[in-house]
Amino acid sequence: MKTVTMVAPVNIAVIKYWGKRDEELILPINDSISGTLSTDFMCAKTTIQASPQFKENKFWLNGKEQNFDSPRLDSCLKEVKRRASPSCPILNWKIAICSENNFPTAAGLASSAAGYACLVAALAKLYKIEGDISSIARRGSGSACRSIYGGWVQWIKGDRPTGEDSIAIQLAPVAHWPEMRVLILVVNDERKKYSSTSGMKKSVETSDLLKYRASECVPKRVEAMKEAIFRKDFESFAKITMEDSNQFHAICLDTFPPCVYMNDTSHSISDVVHTYNECKSSNRVAYTFDAGPNACIYLLESETEEFLSVINYVFPPSSNTGYLKGLQVRQKPINKELEMMFQEKKHRPGALKYIIHTKIGDGPRMVEDSLLNDAGLPK
Ligand code: DP6
């Protein structure tokens, strides 16, 4: 019997991936760039066990048994086995997979990126795959390829129809910009939205703006974003991040029928960020929104106490316990000057469910505590 357990991070794009040129291989129409988040507060954890005793393959996700015949799982597994050495002794053993997220999936936070990165990293360890595995994780979920590396990561779209050049590369490690912090503002919203997969398919089919973004805007923006990250130029980083998020959501509205991911609270958060930046006469804080209403805020450590004082003022918690999860900071009241700017923008308590405060972190790593017992069943 052989067992591997890994944890893998979530990543948040600052230049978004939206649109495939090949649905099956998951090949994108444009490059994207993201920051990988620390696994301390948000991660997927996966145990894979291979045994000659197992009669069939099994898969549990967040405590529930899943159908093993998923095309994306199958695609990852096939590619891993194709890359394994034919003499690998466990290649024909059946496997048990058990995976869970340490953050609530009900919050609508993207979990597929961390999940598939973790699955592929664990499979690669199990079958001793050498070299880049981001192109395998990509087959599970496009954005998962960026979670294979820590720090700042670019997914190069590639040109070949076979997809072997559609890979993620690390632009800079965590230590390059250690002051960077991330706030996930979890918006209280239960409505079901379209998945990224079906949303981007519809965008490719119907949005002219998507074609323009991919050919004209993203190539320039990718270069400018790389430069901003290399120089640790937060002002430019913030501007490009917000512009790209806004253009991505403009494409969602240009899709027919439209994909509406941001809600009124999301738009209020964007307004708070712009007002805050105006007060400071520079871009101190940047928002970005994925395919849902939650906001992801990038900011430097020096800004966190003050910006959180504004968020706590504009979006008061419905109860004070557990509102700020993750890294803790000194809670200070909003200052008079900022209070004047924001008093008209106050929301009812509970518009935000909670906040996760985290930072940039490393890629997948092996851990000891297995999620499966020796019989291959969840503990
Ligand atoms: C809005 O990677 O979830 O988060 O490849 O179909 O699984 P599939 O889509 P997915 O899309 C993520 C889209 C995004 C932007 C991004 O992360 O770049």
Side-chain angles (χ1 to χ4, degrees):
M1 186 175 77
K2 243 186 138 272
T3 309
V4 172
T5 303
M6 310 255 331
V7 292
V10 168
N11 72 77
I12 303 286
V14 290
I15 303 287
K16 303 295 185 195
Y17 146 55
W18 197 251
K20 298 181 184 68
R21 61 179 205 275
D22 186 310
E23 290 280 331
E24 212 163 300
L25 289 171
I26 312 198
L27 302 177
I29 55 166
N30 61 266
D31 284 22
S32 54
I33 295 181
S34 56
T36 295
L37 305 190
S38 163
T39 51
D40 290 352
F41 311 111
M42 294 168 86
C43 69
K45 183 173 174 184
T46 303
T47 297
I48 307 186
Q49 206 168 78
S51 164
Q53 252 82 59
F54 292 166
K55 298 271 177 296
E56 53 182 347
N57 291 324
K58 292 261 187 191
F59 178 29
W60 290 268
L61 178 62
N62 293 321
K64 288 203 193 92
E65 185 157 5
Q66 311 286 313
N67 189 350
F68 208 92
D69 302 326
S70 124
R72 287 180 172 205
L73 171 61
D74 199 50
S75 173
C76 292
L77 202 55
K78 277 212 178 92
E79 186 59 15
V80 167
K81 291 194 166 183
R82 193 184 68 81
R83 300 244 307 250
S85 153
S87 62
C88 177
I90 65 169
L91 214 50
N92 295 319
W93 294 0
K94 300 284 185 217
I95 56 172
I97 304 174
C98 187
S99 190
E100 53 188 44
N101 300 313
N102 76 343
F103 54 93
T105 36
L109 296 167
S111 53
S112 64
Y116 275 106
C118 206
L119 174 87
V120 168
L123 285 171
K125 264 278 180 298
L126 194 70
Y127 298 112
K128 299 195 163 53
I129 309 289
E130 301 292 334
D132 173 78
I133 56 165
S134 70
S135 61
I136 311 179
R138 191 201 72 226
R139 291 165 176 251
S141 183
S143 55
C145 73
R146 298 187 310 240
S147 280
I148 291 295
Y149 298 102
W152 300 94
V153 180
Q154 178 178 4
W155 175 9
I156 298 168
K157 71 177 183 67
D159 297 312
R160 289 189 220 155
T162 45
E164 68 265 27
D165 58 347
S166 188
I167 55 166
I169 57 161
Q170 187 183 62
L171 295 172
V174 186
H176 170 69
W177 210 348
E179 305 85 0
M180 187 64 89
R181 295 291 176 271
V182 173
L183 299 171
I184 311 286
L185 308 185
V186 179
V187 173
N188 222 340
D189 183 297
E190 304 298 335
R191 277 179 300 158
K192 274 242 177 293
K193 303 278 167 159
Y194 322 91
S195 72
S196 302
T197 307
S198 61
M200 71 175 80
K201 188 162 186 281
K202 262 201 293 166
S203 295
V204 170
E205 286 160 4
T206 63
S207 169
D208 288 337
L209 183 53
L210 170 138
K211 297 178 185 72
Y212 175 74
R213 171 176 183 264
S215 64
E216 303 300 316
C217 307
V218 173
K220 289 183 204 132
R221 230 176 243 159
V222 160
E223 287 317 305
M225 178 56 86
K226 279 162 70 174
E227 190 68 17
I229 292 171
F230 292 149
R231 289 173 184 269
K232 300 188 6 173
D233 171 359
F234 189 85
E235 174 77 34
S236 308
F237 169 88
K239 182 162 182 281
I240 305 165
T241 297
M242 294 187 280
E243 282 172 345
D244 195 66
S245 174
N246 292 342
Q247 196 176 47
F248 154 51
H249 288 278
I251 287 170
C252 292
L253 294 185
D254 188 44
T255 298
F256 196 82
C259 302
V260 183
Y261 290 121
M262 292 170 68
N263 66 14
D264 288 351
T265 310
S266 318
H267 288 290
S268 299
I269 294 167
S270 144
D271 175 52
V272 165
V273 168
H274 285 294
T275 307
Y276 185 85
N277 287 341
E278 266 164 44
C279 288
K280 302 285 175 185
S281 308
S282 66
N283 291 322
R284 301 283 185 90
V285 178
Y287 57 76
T288 181
F289 294 86
D290 282 336
N294 300 323
C296 173
I297 306 285
Y298 277 100
L299 75 179
L300 297 179
E301 188 186 11
S302 51
E303 213 63 37
T304 51
E305 274 183 25
E306 185 141 59
F307 186 69
L308 275 169
S309 79
V310 171
I311 292 295
N312 278 318
Y313 177 80
V314 179
F315 300 102
S318 51
S319 101
N320 241 326
T321 50
Y323 194 49
L324 182 66
K325 301 179 193 297
L327 296 166
Q328 295 300 306
V329 296
R330 202 159 50 98
Q331 299 260 358
K332 66 175 195 181
I334 191 166
N335 73 32
K336 283 281 161 276
E337 184 204 350
L338 287 169
E339 187 171 2
M340 294 269 288
M341 296 296 295
F342 286 101
Q343 59 194 4
E344 300 287 294
K345 301 183 190 289
K346 276 193 87 153
H347 281 64
R348 59 171 176 82
L352 287 188
K353 247 189 213 158
Y354 56 85
I355 301 165
I356 306 173
H357 180 198
T358 182
K359 55 186 181 179
I360 301 297
D362 289 315
R365 66 171 205 284
M366 218 150 95
V367 293
E368 285 302 316
D369 45 334
S370 168
L371 296 172
L372 294 166
N373 64 23
D374 286 351
L377 295 170
K379 280 184 178 167

